Every structure is written in structure tokens, then in C-alpha cells.
Amino acid sequence: MIIETDINEIRRIAKLKEDENWEFRSFLKGCDWGKIDVIVHKLYRNISSEIDCKTCGNCCKKVLPVLNQKDVERLANGLKLSVDAFKDKYIVERENNEGITFNKKPCPFLNNNLCTQYKYRPEDCRSYPHLHKKDFSSRLINVIENTSICPIVFNVYEALKEKVWNNPEFDDFDDFDWD
């Protein structure tokens, strides 16, 4: 499999494959989620080891992380600000009472595709693109949105389609061809 890393090409392909991606989402909803997690985790490990996020930084440009109180305290401490001063300068409430996030995009701590507060970054950022987590199939709406944002998500989703969609070997999971 050729790994695509050009974000403009990824956006273009993701847009072209939007209907296909939604159709594949429907297919995945009918699969054994535990099996899908195993495959996604393996693909994620393989693909993420081939992509340097520091050359992209697109997640920091396009995604607003949800922050918790510990994130706010850690960032404020890292910036040597009081929690109140940090909130006043950087934080806004999300719509529909869905927590708090940064008040602008791109992230105010992004500089040349690098996080200036990497040591203090929020849990949501530490975990992105969330492909290592369980229950991949329950988060597919966000996955599809992220196919046009993150080269890792794009390549994992494309590889997953190749591995399991209309693949008769997928029914025999124990003998599944991982290569």
C-alpha cells in the first residue's frame, strides 16, 4: 500500500470518496467490532510509524480539542499564568454545552507545525487521532470527518476498506492476511 501524505491530495481524495466512506461506515456497523478494533489498531501502528506528524500539523490547524480542568491547569501552569488568566486569553465554551476548547483555530500554540506547549498539551491532543482506542466502529462519524484532516486517519481508513470490504478472507479472522 502506498501511503499518501500530501494533505491537499488527501482532502481531494476524501471529498471524492465521501459517499464511499459513508457506505463503508454502514458496512462496518454490521461487523464484529472487536475484530475491527484489532485490524484498526494494527493498521494504525504500521501507518503511524511511517508518517511524521511534525511535517503536517493539520490537526492543530483544523480541530479544536475538548479540554478538561486538568488540561487547563496544566497549560496555565506551563505558560506561568493563573487558571483565570489562561481561560480569559485562550478558552471558549463549546456550543450545546459540550465543554470548553481553544477560542480560535489554528491552535494558539502551533508554530511551524510544532506545539509550543507539547509537554503541557491537552489529553485530547495527546490521544489524537484516537485510532488506538477501543470501539472504533462507534466513532465512525468523527473518523470520516478526520479522513480529510489527518494523513494517518485517511490511510488507515483506506487500508481498512482494502482489508475488510468485500474481502472473503475477512470472514476467517484467524487466518486473515495482515500484510
Side-chain angles (χ1 to χ4, degrees), residues 53-82:
C53 293
K54 294 178 285 194
T55 63
C56 177
N58 203 45
C59 56
C60 302
K61 297 169 189 168
K62 301 292 182 184
V63 178
L64 288 172
V66 176
L67 308 175
N68 60 41
Q69 187 60 34
K70 286 182 181 179
D71 294 329
V72 171
E73 291 168 5
R74 188 172 47 247
L75 280 162
N77 194 24
L79 292 165
K80 299 183 181 3
L81 295 172
S82 71

PDB file of all heavy atoms in Angstrom, residues 53-82:
ATOM      1  N   CYS A  53       4.114  13.451  11.998  1.00  0.00           N
ATOM      2  CA  CYS A  53       3.085  14.471  12.225  1.00  0.00           C
ATOM      3  C   CYS A  53       3.652  15.887  12.206  1.00  0.00           C
ATOM      4  O   CYS A  53       2.933  16.844  11.906  1.00  0.00           O
ATOM      5  CB  CYS A  53       2.377  14.214  13.549  1.00  0.00           C
ATOM      6  SG  CYS A  53       1.398  12.698  13.557  1.00  0.00           S
ATOM      7  N   LYS A  54       4.916  16.035  12.523  1.00  0.00           N
ATOM      8  CA  LYS A  54       5.532  17.368  12.566  1.00  0.00           C
ATOM      9  C   LYS A  54       5.648  18.003  11.179  1.00  0.00           C
ATOM     10  O   LYS A  54       5.855  19.205  11.073  1.00  0.00           O
ATOM     11  CB  LYS A  54       6.901  17.291  13.232  1.00  0.00           C
ATOM     12  CG  LYS A  54       6.825  16.920  14.707  1.00  0.00           C
ATOM     13  CD  LYS A  54       8.194  16.808  15.307  1.00  0.00           C
ATOM     14  CE  LYS A  54       8.806  15.520  14.840  1.00  0.00           C
ATOM     15  NZ  LYS A  54       9.985  15.100  15.574  1.00  0.00           N
ATOM     16  N   THR A  55       5.513  17.210  10.125  1.00  0.00           N
ATOM     17  CA  THR A  55       5.545  17.780   8.784  1.00  0.00           C
ATOM     18  C   THR A  55       4.164  18.259   8.350  1.00  0.00           C
ATOM     19  O   THR A  55       4.040  18.898   7.311  1.00  0.00           O
ATOM     20  CB  THR A  55       6.061  16.751   7.750  1.00  0.00           C
ATOM     21  OG1 THR A  55       5.154  15.650   7.695  1.00  0.00           O
ATOM     22  CG2 THR A  55       7.454  16.272   8.110  1.00  0.00           C
ATOM     23  N   CYS A  56       3.145  17.952   9.144  1.00  0.00           N
ATOM     24  CA  CYS A  56       1.765  18.264   8.773  1.00  0.00           C
ATOM     25  C   CYS A  56       1.151  19.302   9.716  1.00  0.00           C
ATOM     26  O   CYS A  56       0.912  20.435   9.324  1.00  0.00           O
ATOM     27  CB  CYS A  56       0.948  16.973   8.773  1.00  0.00           C
ATOM     28  SG  CYS A  56      -0.800  17.167   8.411  1.00  0.00           S
ATOM     29  N   GLY A  57       0.875  18.915  10.940  1.00  0.00           N
ATOM     30  CA  GLY A  57       0.253  19.814  11.907  1.00  0.00           C
ATOM     31  C   GLY A  57      -1.171  20.189  11.570  1.00  0.00           C
ATOM     32  O   GLY A  57      -1.734  21.111  12.166  1.00  0.00           O
ATOM     33  N   ASN A  58      -1.775  19.494  10.625  1.00  0.00           N
ATOM     34  CA  ASN A  58      -3.110  19.864  10.173  1.00  0.00           C
ATOM     35  C   ASN A  58      -4.162  19.704  11.271  1.00  0.00           C
ATOM     36  O   ASN A  58      -5.116  20.474  11.320  1.00  0.00           O
ATOM     37  CB  ASN A  58      -3.504  19.066   8.926  1.00  0.00           C
ATOM     38  CG  ASN A  58      -4.567  19.766   8.129  1.00  0.00           C
ATOM     39  OD1 ASN A  58      -4.495  20.967   7.899  1.00  0.00           O
ATOM     40  ND2 ASN A  58      -5.560  19.012   7.708  1.00  0.00           N
ATOM     41  N   CYS A  59      -3.994  18.733  12.149  1.00  0.00           N
ATOM     42  CA  CYS A  59      -4.957  18.572  13.240  1.00  0.00           C
ATOM     43  C   CYS A  59      -5.003  19.835  14.096  1.00  0.00           C
ATOM     44  O   CYS A  59      -6.080  20.279  14.507  1.00  0.00           O
ATOM     45  CB  CYS A  59      -4.643  17.335  14.082  1.00  0.00           C
ATOM     46  SG  CYS A  59      -2.987  17.280  14.770  1.00  0.00           S
ATOM     47  N   CYS A  60      -3.856  20.426  14.350  1.00  0.00           N
ATOM     48  CA  CYS A  60      -3.785  21.650  15.155  1.00  0.00           C
ATOM     49  C   CYS A  60      -4.356  22.861  14.414  1.00  0.00           C
ATOM     50  O   CYS A  60      -4.702  23.860  15.039  1.00  0.00           O
ATOM     51  CB  CYS A  60      -2.347  21.928  15.563  1.00  0.00           C
ATOM     52  SG  CYS A  60      -1.583  20.587  16.487  1.00  0.00           S
ATOM     53  N   LYS A  61      -4.444  22.748  13.107  1.00  0.00           N
ATOM     54  CA  LYS A  61      -4.995  23.832  12.297  1.00  0.00           C
ATOM     55  C   LYS A  61      -6.507  23.711  12.140  1.00  0.00           C
ATOM     56  O   LYS A  61      -7.200  24.719  11.977  1.00  0.00           O
ATOM     57  CB  LYS A  61      -4.352  23.832  10.905  1.00  0.00           C
ATOM     58  CG  LYS A  61      -2.861  24.093  10.936  1.00  0.00           C
ATOM     59  CD  LYS A  61      -2.232  23.824   9.577  1.00  0.00           C
ATOM     60  CE  LYS A  61      -0.715  23.862   9.672  1.00  0.00           C
ATOM     61  NZ  LYS A  61      -0.065  23.345   8.475  1.00  0.00           N
ATOM     62  N   LYS A  62      -7.038  22.480  12.178  1.00  0.00           N
ATOM     63  CA  LYS A  62      -8.435  22.249  11.813  1.00  0.00           C
ATOM     64  C   LYS A  62      -9.327  21.722  12.927  1.00  0.00           C
ATOM     65  O   LYS A  62     -10.540  21.770  12.813  1.00  0.00           O
ATOM     66  CB  LYS A  62      -8.500  21.238  10.652  1.00  0.00           C
ATOM     67  CG  LYS A  62      -7.762  21.687   9.408  1.00  0.00           C
ATOM     68  CD  LYS A  62      -8.430  22.862   8.763  1.00  0.00           C
ATOM     69  CE  LYS A  62      -7.713  23.280   7.492  1.00  0.00           C
ATOM     70  NZ  LYS A  62      -8.288  24.473   6.920  1.00  0.00           N
ATOM     71  N   VAL A  63      -8.738  21.156  14.001  1.00  0.00           N
ATOM     72  CA  VAL A  63      -9.529  20.511  15.048  1.00  0.00           C
ATOM     73  C   VAL A  63      -9.395  21.291  16.345  1.00  0.00           C
ATOM     74  O   VAL A  63      -8.297  21.701  16.717  1.00  0.00           O
ATOM     75  CB  VAL A  63      -9.053  19.054  15.267  1.00  0.00           C
ATOM     76  CG1 VAL A  63      -9.830  18.393  16.393  1.00  0.00           C
ATOM     77  CG2 VAL A  63      -9.180  18.245  13.981  1.00  0.00           C
ATOM     78  N   LEU A  64     -10.509  21.485  17.030  1.00  0.00           N
ATOM     79  CA  LEU A  64     -10.490  22.104  18.348  1.00  0.00           C
ATOM     80  C   LEU A  64     -10.649  21.006  19.400  1.00  0.00           C
ATOM     81  O   LEU A  64     -11.692  20.361  19.458  1.00  0.00           O
ATOM     82  CB  LEU A  64     -11.619  23.124  18.487  1.00  0.00           C
ATOM     83  CG  LEU A  64     -11.449  24.422  17.706  1.00  0.00           C
ATOM     84  CD1 LEU A  64     -12.725  25.255  17.768  1.00  0.00           C
ATOM     85  CD2 LEU A  64     -10.269  25.214  18.245  1.00  0.00           C
ATOM     86  N   PRO A  65      -9.633  20.795  20.233  1.00  0.00           N
ATOM     87  CA  PRO A  65      -9.743  19.745  21.248  1.00  0.00           C
ATOM     88  C   PRO A  65     -10.709  20.148  22.359  1.00  0.00           C
ATOM     89  O   PRO A  65     -10.870  21.329  22.666  1.00  0.00           O
ATOM     90  CB  PRO A  65      -8.316  19.639  21.790  1.00  0.00           C
ATOM     91  CG  PRO A  65      -7.756  21.017  21.609  1.00  0.00           C
ATOM     92  CD  PRO A  65      -8.362  21.509  20.320  1.00  0.00           C
ATOM     93  N   VAL A  66     -11.353  19.160  22.951  1.00  0.00           N
ATOM     94  CA  VAL A  66     -12.160  19.384  24.143  1.00  0.00           C
ATOM     95  C   VAL A  66     -11.196  19.337  25.329  1.00  0.00           C
ATOM     96  O   VAL A  66     -10.398  18.411  25.453  1.00  0.00           O
ATOM     97  CB  VAL A  66     -13.260  18.312  24.285  1.00  0.00           C
ATOM     98  CG1 VAL A  66     -14.036  18.509  25.577  1.00  0.00           C
ATOM     99  CG2 VAL A  66     -14.190  18.331  23.089  1.00  0.00           C
ATOM    100  N   LEU A  67     -11.259  20.350  26.157  1.00  0.00           N
ATOM    101  CA  LEU A  67     -10.356  20.459  27.290  1.00  0.00           C
ATOM    102  C   LEU A  67     -11.077  20.110  28.592  1.00  0.00           C
ATOM    103  O   LEU A  67     -12.251  20.440  28.758  1.00  0.00           O
ATOM    104  CB  LEU A  67      -9.803  21.883  27.396  1.00  0.00           C
ATOM    105  CG  LEU A  67      -9.177  22.482  26.139  1.00  0.00           C
ATOM    106  CD1 LEU A  67      -8.783  23.930  26.388  1.00  0.00           C
ATOM    107  CD2 LEU A  67      -7.986  21.676  25.697  1.00  0.00           C
ATOM    108  N   ASN A  68     -10.347  19.475  29.497  1.00  0.00           N
ATOM    109  CA  ASN A  68     -10.886  19.253  30.832  1.00  0.00           C
ATOM    110  C   ASN A  68     -10.141  20.167  31.808  1.00  0.00           C
ATOM    111  O   ASN A  68      -9.204  20.877  31.426  1.00  0.00           O
ATOM    112  CB  ASN A  68     -10.792  17.770  31.229  1.00  0.00           C
ATOM    113  CG  ASN A  68      -9.374  17.243  31.254  1.00  0.00           C
ATOM    114  OD1 ASN A  68      -8.448  17.923  31.704  1.00  0.00           O
ATOM    115  ND2 ASN A  68      -9.187  16.016  30.782  1.00  0.00           N
ATOM    116  N   GLN A  69     -10.548  20.143  33.060  1.00  0.00           N
ATOM    117  CA  GLN A  69      -9.954  21.042  34.057  1.00  0.00           C
ATOM    118  C   GLN A  69      -8.461  20.785  34.223  1.00  0.00           C
ATOM    119  O   GLN A  69      -7.672  21.723  34.351  1.00  0.00           O
ATOM    120  CB  GLN A  69     -10.678  20.907  35.403  1.00  0.00           C
ATOM    121  CG  GLN A  69     -10.244  21.922  36.433  1.00  0.00           C
ATOM    122  CD  GLN A  69     -10.468  23.368  36.005  1.00  0.00           C
ATOM    123  OE1 GLN A  69     -11.428  23.700  35.310  1.00  0.00           O
ATOM    124  NE2 GLN A  69      -9.565  24.255  36.413  1.00  0.00           N
ATOM    125  N   LYS A  70      -8.036  19.519  34.184  1.00  0.00           N
ATOM    126  CA  LYS A  70      -6.614  19.207  34.309  1.00  0.00           C
ATOM    127  C   LYS A  70      -5.818  19.784  33.140  1.00  0.00           C
ATOM    128  O   LYS A  70      -4.704  20.260  33.319  1.00  0.00           O
ATOM    129  CB  LYS A  70      -6.387  17.693  34.399  1.00  0.00           C
ATOM    130  CG  LYS A  70      -6.769  17.107  35.719  1.00  0.00           C
ATOM    131  CD  LYS A  70      -6.462  15.624  35.752  1.00  0.00           C
ATOM    132  CE  LYS A  70      -6.882  15.028  37.078  1.00  0.00           C
ATOM    133  NZ  LYS A  70      -6.630  13.585  37.142  1.00  0.00           N
ATOM    134  N   ASP A  71      -6.404  19.726  31.929  1.00  0.00           N
ATOM    135  CA  ASP A  71      -5.746  20.315  30.757  1.00  0.00           C
ATOM    136  C   ASP A  71      -5.524  21.807  30.964  1.00  0.00           C
ATOM    137  O   ASP A  71      -4.436  22.326  30.689  1.00  0.00           O
ATOM    138  CB  ASP A  71      -6.591  20.120  29.497  1.00  0.00           C
ATOM    139  CG  ASP A  71      -6.738  18.681  29.065  1.00  0.00           C
ATOM    140  OD1 ASP A  71      -5.813  17.879  29.303  1.00  0.00           O
ATOM    141  OD2 ASP A  71      -7.787  18.368  28.466  1.00  0.00           O
ATOM    142  N   VAL A  72      -6.562  22.485  31.427  1.00  0.00           N
ATOM    143  CA  VAL A  72      -6.498  23.926  31.634  1.00  0.00           C
ATOM    144  C   VAL A  72      -5.427  24.257  32.674  1.00  0.00           C
ATOM    145  O   VAL A  72      -4.592  25.144  32.465  1.00  0.00           O
ATOM    146  CB  VAL A  72      -7.878  24.484  32.051  1.00  0.00           C
ATOM    147  CG1 VAL A  72      -7.777  25.940  32.486  1.00  0.00           C
ATOM    148  CG2 VAL A  72      -8.879  24.324  30.909  1.00  0.00           C
ATOM    149  N   GLU A  73      -5.436  23.518  33.771  1.00  0.00           N
ATOM    150  CA  GLU A  73      -4.454  23.767  34.835  1.00  0.00           C
ATOM    151  C   GLU A  73      -3.032  23.491  34.345  1.00  0.00           C
ATOM    152  O   GLU A  73      -2.108  24.271  34.631  1.00  0.00           O
ATOM    153  CB  GLU A  73      -4.778  22.903  36.053  1.00  0.00           C
ATOM    154  CG  GLU A  73      -6.052  23.323  36.748  1.00  0.00           C
ATOM    155  CD  GLU A  73      -6.543  22.310  37.771  1.00  0.00           C
ATOM    156  OE1 GLU A  73      -5.853  21.286  38.027  1.00  0.00           O
ATOM    157  OE2 GLU A  73      -7.643  22.539  38.328  1.00  0.00           O
ATOM    158  N   ARG A  74      -2.845  22.399  33.610  1.00  0.00           N
ATOM    159  CA  ARG A  74      -1.516  22.036  33.103  1.00  0.00           C
ATOM    160  C   ARG A  74      -1.000  23.100  32.129  1.00  0.00           C
ATOM    161  O   ARG A  74       0.148  23.536  32.221  1.00  0.00           O
ATOM    162  CB  ARG A  74      -1.583  20.661  32.437  1.00  0.00           C
ATOM    163  CG  ARG A  74      -0.258  20.094  32.032  1.00  0.00           C
ATOM    164  CD  ARG A  74      -0.319  18.651  31.542  1.00  0.00           C
ATOM    165  NE  ARG A  74      -1.367  18.377  30.587  1.00  0.00           N
ATOM    166  CZ  ARG A  74      -2.424  17.589  30.813  1.00  0.00           C
ATOM    167  NH1 ARG A  74      -2.570  16.981  31.968  1.00  0.00           N
ATOM    168  NH2 ARG A  74      -3.328  17.404  29.883  1.00  0.00           N
ATOM    169  N   LEU A  75      -1.842  23.533  31.200  1.00  0.00           N
ATOM    170  CA  LEU A  75      -1.431  24.556  30.238  1.00  0.00           C
ATOM    171  C   LEU A  75      -1.162  25.893  30.926  1.00  0.00           C
ATOM    172  O   LEU A  75      -0.170  26.567  30.621  1.00  0.00           O
ATOM    173  CB  LEU A  75      -2.488  24.711  29.144  1.00  0.00           C
ATOM    174  CG  LEU A  75      -2.453  23.666  28.049  1.00  0.00           C
ATOM    175  CD1 LEU A  75      -3.774  23.627  27.284  1.00  0.00           C
ATOM    176  CD2 LEU A  75      -1.293  23.924  27.098  1.00  0.00           C
ATOM    177  N   ALA A  76      -2.042  26.284  31.833  1.00  0.00           N
ATOM    178  CA  ALA A  76      -1.843  27.541  32.557  1.00  0.00           C
ATOM    179  C   ALA A  76      -0.517  27.500  33.317  1.00  0.00           C
ATOM    180  O   ALA A  76       0.265  28.463  33.269  1.00  0.00           O
ATOM    181  CB  ALA A  76      -3.010  27.787  33.519  1.00  0.00           C
ATOM    182  N   ASN A  77      -0.271  26.396  33.969  1.00  0.00           N
ATOM    183  CA  ASN A  77       0.977  26.229  34.719  1.00  0.00           C
ATOM    184  C   ASN A  77       2.184  26.303  33.782  1.00  0.00           C
ATOM    185  O   ASN A  77       3.176  26.974  34.087  1.00  0.00           O
ATOM    186  CB  ASN A  77       0.944  24.898  35.471  1.00  0.00           C
ATOM    187  CG  ASN A  77       2.008  24.789  36.523  1.00  0.00           C
ATOM    188  OD1 ASN A  77       2.492  25.791  37.023  1.00  0.00           O
ATOM    189  ND2 ASN A  77       2.364  23.570  36.869  1.00  0.00           N
ATOM    190  N   GLY A  78       2.097  25.617  32.633  1.00  0.00           N
ATOM    191  CA  GLY A  78       3.190  25.640  31.661  1.00  0.00           C
ATOM    192  C   GLY A  78       3.463  27.028  31.112  1.00  0.00           C
ATOM    193  O   GLY A  78       4.603  27.365  30.798  1.00  0.00           O
ATOM    194  N   LEU A  79       2.428  27.822  31.003  1.00  0.00           N
ATOM    195  CA  LEU A  79       2.564  29.194  30.498  1.00  0.00           C
ATOM    196  C   LEU A  79       2.815  30.208  31.609  1.00  0.00           C
ATOM    197  O   LEU A  79       2.930  31.406  31.339  1.00  0.00           O
ATOM    198  CB  LEU A  79       1.301  29.588  29.725  1.00  0.00           C
ATOM    199  CG  LEU A  79       1.077  28.843  28.417  1.00  0.00           C
ATOM    200  CD1 LEU A  79      -0.345  29.031  27.923  1.00  0.00           C
ATOM    201  CD2 LEU A  79       2.079  29.305  27.379  1.00  0.00           C
ATOM    202  N   LYS A  80       2.832  29.720  32.850  1.00  0.00           N
ATOM    203  CA  LYS A  80       3.039  30.567  34.029  1.00  0.00           C
ATOM    204  C   LYS A  80       1.954  31.648  34.138  1.00  0.00           C
ATOM    205  O   LYS A  80       2.227  32.824  34.414  1.00  0.00           O
ATOM    206  CB  LYS A  80       4.439  31.165  34.040  1.00  0.00           C
ATOM    207  CG  LYS A  80       5.517  30.085  34.095  1.00  0.00           C
ATOM    208  CD  LYS A  80       6.891  30.632  34.181  1.00  0.00           C
ATOM    209  CE  LYS A  80       7.997  29.626  34.212  1.00  0.00           C
ATOM    210  NZ  LYS A  80       7.794  28.241  34.100  1.00  0.00           N
ATOM    211  N   LEU A  81       0.711  31.191  33.883  1.00  0.00           N
ATOM    212  CA  LEU A  81      -0.464  32.047  34.017  1.00  0.00           C
ATOM    213  C   LEU A  81      -1.370  31.475  35.095  1.00  0.00           C
ATOM    214  O   LEU A  81      -1.353  30.266  35.358  1.00  0.00           O
ATOM    215  CB  LEU A  81      -1.258  32.087  32.707  1.00  0.00           C
ATOM    216  CG  LEU A  81      -0.630  32.713  31.480  1.00  0.00           C
ATOM    217  CD1 LEU A  81      -1.509  32.472  30.254  1.00  0.00           C
ATOM    218  CD2 LEU A  81      -0.428  34.201  31.697  1.00  0.00           C
ATOM    219  N   SER A  82      -2.207  32.312  35.672  1.00  0.00           N
ATOM    220  CA  SER A  82      -3.250  31.783  36.551  1.00  0.00           C
ATOM    221  C   SER A  82      -4.270  31.082  35.667  1.00  0.00           C
ATOM    222  O   SER A  82      -4.371  31.358  34.456  1.00  0.00           O
ATOM    223  CB  SER A  82      -3.917  32.917  37.334  1.00  0.00           C
ATOM    224  OG  SER A  82      -4.710  33.709  36.458  1.00  0.00           O
TER     225      SER A  82
END
